[in-house]
Amino acid sequence: MEIAKVTSKGQITIPIDIRKKLNLKDGDKVIFIEEGDKIIFANAAKVAFMNIQKAFEGEAERLGLKNEQDVVDMVNEIREEMWKERYENND
């Protein structure tokens, strides 16, 4: 367990061990999540990434993406389609 003191401005210094565990660097943002009578403190970027992962869960299978090359191929196809829409049909 780590303890931090709150200043008169409401600031705290996050102990180094906690910063390391959360992979926090200078300028990173943190998030406070209320869960019942507890407040959870977390790295905001990690929470956002986890939410994105959850939102995309099952999408790779639905799109037939089995490996990294499938993703690269799909991105290339989309880029080609976008290029055609923008430049080939502009006579």
Side-chain angles (χ1 to χ4, degrees):
M1 178 187 328
E2 299 282 347
I3 296 177
K5 183 178 177 181
V6 180
T7 69
S8 61
K9 293 182 180 182
Q11 299 169 328
I12 62 169
T13 298
I14 303 166
I16 188 75
D17 289 343
I18 302 299
R19 290 194 312 258
K20 285 179 180 178
K21 287 178 182 177
L22 293 175
N23 195 28
L24 290 172
K25 308 277 187 293
D26 185 38
D28 284 351
K29 294 185 179 186
V30 296
I31 188 169
F32 297 90
I33 304 164
E34 190 173 350
E35 280 191 7
D37 62 345
K38 296 179 183 179
I39 303 293
I40 297 171
F41 167 80
N43 181 326
K46 284 187 176 184
V47 171
F49 184 72
M50 287 174 15
N51 287 338
I52 289 169
Q53 281 182 314
K54 235 183 247 181
F56 281 98
E57 196 171 296
E59 285 300 302
E61 185 176 320
R62 186 183 70 77
L63 294 170
L65 304 173
K66 296 180 181 89
N67 55 43
E68 188 175 341
Q69 188 59 49
D70 288 345
V71 175
V72 170
D73 292 344
M74 182 184 75
V75 168
N76 288 334
E77 286 175 30
I78 292 169
R79 285 181 177 159
E80 185 177 340
E81 288 172 15
M82 290 174 68
W83 189 89
K84 286 178 182 179
E85 285 177 13
R86 288 183 183 156
Y87 300 108
E88 285 188 358
N89 297 326
N90 291 337
D91 295 329

